[in-house]
Amino acid sequence: MNGGGEGLAAPATSGAATAPLDWRFSQVFGERTAGEEVQEVDIISAIEFDRTGDHLATGDRGGRVVLFERTDAKDHGGHRKDLERMDYSISRHPEFRYKTEFQSHEPEFDYLKSLEIEEKINKIRWCQTANGALFLLSTNDKTIKFWKVQEKKVKKVSELNVDRSKSMGNGPFVGGTPASSKPYLANGVCKEKPIGFPSNDTSFPSGGSPSLHLPLVTSPETSLVARCRRVYAHAHDYHINSISNNSDGETFISADDLRINLWNLEISNQSFNIVDVKPTNMEDLTEVITSAEFHPTHCNTLAYSSSKGSIRLIDLRQSALCDNHSKLFEEQEAPGSRSFFTEIIASVSDIKFAKNGRHILSRDYMTLKLWDINMDSGPVATFQVHEYLRPKLCDLYENDSIFDKFECCLSGDGGRVATGSYSNMFRVFGCSEGSTEATTLEASKNPMRRQVQTPSRPSRSVGNLPRVLRRGADNSGADTNGNAFDFTTKLLHLAWHPTENSLACAASNSLYMYYA
């Protein structure tokens, strides 16, 4: 399918099985040439679509935020409903173009703690638009900033009193009446009148002076201006790993390893601590917060994950300090399966609510898990992302790859989920009833080049699944061409378009776009 709503996967709770999507390359921004060395500051570290899907933002390790805007919708020359009424065939896939960029964060130094603060953008979140302006939040390890991006008209002065035909470089002032032909003496006195004779002649020629014009201020051009509206600082002792907007449009949360703070967008010098897992004695610390997100429609509900693999749902109406969760989601450990790496690979690196708020998607090192917020006995589905790495965990621990934090995303209808892996690969799984979709794609102009065909048994409906479903296991350590997987290239960040089957993936400093 191309662009529109035809052929979308069935919702997660529906009973219609759908065929796997045929993913195709759309665009790439910042593509590397063969052998080109990538600068550390250019590596993309955050990616986010806005609520409409018409804008896309990326952040990099150099503290820059780059904005892209959709162009194909504008090229149709009308609203979708109008085009459908005219029986206009919409066959184009989503296309984006560079819009603007700005420096969001600069490197800093905390003199009290003798700590360097990187400029790297950890997260970007879009806020509600107003008066044609775009608003977004961006954060590095310590400081959150609220940005406004708006088109400003560039004012220019035109129709000056300049007679270009008579103007001369470095000559007398031009722009007044034409030069007089009356004879002047060397001292500038006119011969026609006695010296010192006062002149009262202030009249203009009849019909006015054609060479005298009032200057006009015009605005023929516009430029995008990014302005930092507010800075939310000095509220986190540890590195910020998450920010999330509330559905009320007024507040947002920020989370670090031990605390979650609630902010009002209009107030930058005060926040409320709503979750605090810091023990009295730091030696008693057993887990840390890894990710946090607001419910998409319930402004009083949010979820946060931990390094022990659990997800806690909290209700802000229960108390001011939400130390007690309303629901706990965790998978019971199988007897005899514990090893040195069990806790490390169980740590949840990212969580996302489905658009309808019914399900939560979580990503740990080895798997994707889909949870039903009404069923806390265990995940309703588990997808193996790269099971072939299990025998290599010791090597991955030695080179610190086991601590890589992969993000995850859901399609707008909740029918599919996606996450990244190594060798710039990413995987797409279907989670509707009867779906066997488990596609492996590469972030390149030919995404199917290294596709691994993965046999998987059919799944049952997410809504009716009583116990965990496991599928998508890929036990090979090499691709279909026999090439070994490269653990130095990893696809950590990706985002799914909110209304269409379109994916944006960040591979190092390149942004790849795909559609189905």
Side-chain angles (χ1 to χ4, degrees):
M1 60 155 274
N2 295 329
E6 299 177 3
L8 287 177
T13 55
S14 76
T18 53
L21 294 176
D22 178 22
W23 290 97
R24 301 178 185 180
F25 170 78
S26 173
Q27 292 173 278
V28 60
F29 298 95
E31 185 182 20
R32 282 181 293 168
T33 57
E36 180 184 355
E37 185 178 352
V38 177
Q39 299 295 320
E40 180 81 9
V41 294
D42 294 331
I43 296 177
I44 297 173
S45 57
I47 184 169
E48 184 82 2
F49 279 105
D50 73 347
R51 187 173 298 180
T52 64
D54 290 339
H55 293 91
L56 175 68
T58 64
D60 61 26
R61 294 188 181 181
R64 295 178 298 250
V65 172
V66 183
L67 303 184
F68 302 87
E69 67 176 349
R70 185 168 177 174
T71 59
D72 61 297
K74 296 180 180 179
D75 292 342
H76 291 318
H79 295 289
R80 182 183 181 90
K81 290 182 179 178
D82 298 333
L83 298 175
E84 288 175 348
R85 195 175 295 117
M86 295 186 299
D87 198 23
Y88 186 96
S89 174
I90 300 177
S91 59
R92 300 185 63 179
H93 58 82
E95 292 180 0
F96 286 80
R97 70 180 177 194
Y98 170 86
K99 186 177 179 74
T100 188
E101 67 179 88
F102 56 90
Q103 188 71 32
S104 174
H105 288 73
E106 302 279 357
E108 301 175 43
F109 189 82
D110 188 335
Y111 292 96
L112 292 177
K113 297 182 179 180
S114 296
L115 182 71
E116 288 186 11
I117 303 173
E118 287 184 316
E119 65 270 36
K120 176 189 139 187
I121 304 297
N122 290 342
K123 294 288 180 183
I124 296 174
R125 290 292 180 266
W126 290 91
C127 302
Q128 293 180 355
T129 59
N131 299 325
L134 302 174
F135 295 89
L136 51 88
L137 290 165
S138 62
T139 183
N140 65 353
D141 287 338
K142 294 290 184 180
T143 305
I144 307 162
K145 294 186 179 182
F146 183 48
W147 291 91
K148 178 182 180 180
V149 182
Q150 190 175 28
E151 285 189 349
K152 292 284 187 181
K153 292 183 178 179
V154 180
K155 295 182 178 180
K156 291 186 177 181
V157 179
S158 62
E159 297 188 22
L160 294 170
N161 275 325
V162 177
D163 190 346
R164 297 188 180 278
S165 63
K166 298 180 180 180
S167 62
M168 298 173 59
N170 299 324
F173 174 76
V174 291
T177 54
S180 174
S181 59
K182 294 180 181 180
Y184 285 88
L185 298 174
N187 60 359
V189 178
C190 181
K191 288 182 177 180
E192 294 183 356
K193 293 184 180 179
I195 296 175
F197 183 82
S199 175
N200 294 322
D201 185 12
T202 58
S203 62
F204 286 91
S206 60
S209 177
S211 61
L212 184 63
H213 301 283
L214 289 175
L216 293 179
V217 178
T218 60
S219 304
E221 299 177 1
T222 59
S223 66
L224 283 165
V225 177
R227 187 164 65 92
C228 184
R229 293 286 302 274
R230 288 176 189 84
V231 178
Y232 312 90
H234 313 301
H236 288 277
D237 293 330
Y238 304 93
H239 290 177
I240 299 172
N241 55 49
S242 302
I243 53 175
S244 179
N245 305 83
N246 197 345
S247 58
D248 63 9
E250 298 178 358
T251 56
F252 70 94
I253 55 170
S254 58
D256 63 22
D257 291 342
L258 299 180
R259 292 186 176 95
I260 300 177
N261 293 333
L262 178 68
W263 301 82
N264 188 299
L265 282 168
E266 301 296 325
I267 303 171
S268 60
N269 60 358
Q270 183 183 44
S271 65
F272 297 94
N273 179 228
I274 55 175
V275 175
D276 189 346
V277 300
K278 183 178 180 180
T280 305
N281 184 358
M282 284 296 285
E283 292 181 359
D284 298 330
L285 182 67
T286 58
E287 63 181 331
V288 296
I289 299 168
T290 57
S291 182
E293 182 162 294
F294 261 119
H295 190 282
T297 56
H298 298 165
C299 62
N300 59 286
T301 304
L302 63 93
Y304 70 91
S305 59
S306 81
S307 57
K308 278 193 168 182
S310 61
I311 301 172
R312 290 172 172 85
L313 202 66
I314 62 175
D315 190 338
L316 297 177
R317 298 171 299 184
Q318 290 183 344
S319 63
L321 186 61
C322 303
D323 287 339
N324 297 320
H325 53 267
S326 58
K327 283 191 177 181
L328 174 65
F329 305 94
E330 59 183 355
E331 188 172 24
Q332 297 302 317
E333 188 179 311
S337 63
R338 189 168 184 81
S339 69
F340 174 77
F341 304 108
T342 300
E343 265 194 33
I344 300 176
I345 64 175
S347 177
V348 177
S349 57
D350 189 29
I351 60 171
K352 292 285 194 313
F353 271 100
K355 195 173 182 179
N356 61 8
R358 172 71 184 271
H359 296 92
I360 300 174
L361 181 67
S362 67
R363 170 70 203 263
D364 56 42
Y365 188 69
M366 300 295 291
T367 66
L368 271 176
K369 292 185 175 74
L370 193 66
W371 307 79
D372 188 327
I373 64 172
N374 296 329
M375 192 181 85
D376 54 7
S377 57
V380 294
T382 298
F383 307 98
Q384 307 293 338
V385 178
H386 38 216
E387 188 64 20
Y388 63 87
L389 290 182
R390 200 169 289 277
K392 302 179 176 67
L393 290 178
C394 192
D395 296 334
L396 294 165
Y397 179 77
E398 290 294 329
N399 61 25
D400 287 341
S401 293
I402 201 170
F403 302 106
D404 288 334
K405 299 183 183 303
F406 292 93
E407 293 181 0
C408 59
C409 59
L410 299 96
S411 61
D413 61 3
R416 290 177 174 85
V417 296
T419 191
S421 183
Y422 292 100
S423 298
N424 284 340
M425 311 286 272
F426 62 98
R427 307 206 68 194
V428 179
F429 300 96
C431 51
S432 57
E433 182 182 4
S435 174
T436 60
E437 184 173 359
T439 309
T440 304
L441 303 152
E442 181 187 26
S444 67
K445 287 188 174 180
N446 182 10
M448 311 298 282
R449 182 171 68 92
R450 296 169 62 176
Q451 183 180 11
V452 179
Q453 294 297 331
T454 309
S456 56
R457 63 172 183 256
S459 65
R460 288 176 287 171
S461 170
V462 167
N464 303 323
L465 206 59
R467 287 307 304 164
V468 64
L469 158 75
R470 297 178 181 272
R471 62 182 177 86
D474 176 11
N475 295 314
S476 64
D479 61 23
T480 52
N481 298 324
N483 301 317
F485 284 98
D486 182 6
F487 301 120
T488 61
T489 58
K490 44 205 163 193
L491 200 151
L492 301 177
H493 312 285
L494 77 172
W496 201 303
H497 192 281
T499 60
E500 302 179 12
N501 284 327
S502 176
L503 275 167
C505 307
S508 188
N509 67 321
S510 303
L511 176 66
Y512 287 90
M513 310 282 292
Y514 301 95
Y515 71 98

